Amino acid sequence: MAEHTYRVLVRGRFADLTSEQRTSLLDRLRGFDFLRDAGFSEEGALTYDEKLDFFSYRVILTAGDKPDEAGLRRASTALDDLGVDFRGLKAKVTDMDEMKINRPRRLG
């Protein structure tokens, strides 16, 4: 199977955060610039707000098959690295190689 480039958006919820985990996540949020740091990238970007309820993880992957599973693994790893529990992970995948691009028509 040919490799394609995918944008994978993983959503989920934080689970059973301790006060130390909440403090750590809020400290990380203070230095976060949503416009600069929250887009899709090959490194992946974890985003959440100060309510610390829901989060999303955006990543660009090149894969032959099952990009949703690869995205879920990457999100799980990012959350494990932060030392937080989570639940309800769901992935939405967009195949960038099959996306139709509408080019503007020239006038005149």
Side-chain angles (χ1 to χ4, degrees):
M1 180 175 200
E3 286 194 344
H4 285 234
T5 302
Y6 299 95
R7 280 186 173 182
V8 183
L9 175 61
V10 178
R11 295 178 190 232
R13 297 184 83 166
F14 292 112
D16 304 322
L17 294 175
T18 65
S19 59
E20 292 84 16
Q21 290 170 325
R22 294 179 83 73
T23 301
S24 174
L25 288 170
L26 290 172
D27 287 344
R28 183 178 177 273
L29 189 60
R30 283 191 196 96
F32 188 78
D33 181 353
F34 190 81
L35 294 176
R36 184 187 69 224
D37 302 326
F40 287 90
S41 69
E42 292 179 0
E43 297 81 30
L46 179 68
T47 60
Y48 52 89
D49 63 15
E50 61 275 347
K51 293 178 187 175
L52 300 179
D53 190 9
F54 295 94
F55 61 83
S56 65
Y57 181 80
R58 294 169 172 88
V59 64
I60 295 175
L61 298 173
T62 302
D65 59 341
K66 300 186 181 181
D68 54 341
E69 292 178 11
L72 290 170
R73 282 192 305 274
R74 293 275 302 269
S76 296
T77 300
L79 292 159
D80 288 342
D81 289 347
L82 290 175
V84 297
D85 292 327
F86 52 90
R87 65 179 190 265
L89 290 185
K90 295 179 184 177
K92 181 179 176 187
V93 178
T94 302
D95 187 338
M96 300 305 292
D97 295 331
E98 294 186 9
M99 186 178 232
K100 181 180 177 184
I101 298 173
N102 292 322
R103 305 251 185 237
R105 295 182 184 181
R106 293 186 180 232
L107 299 175

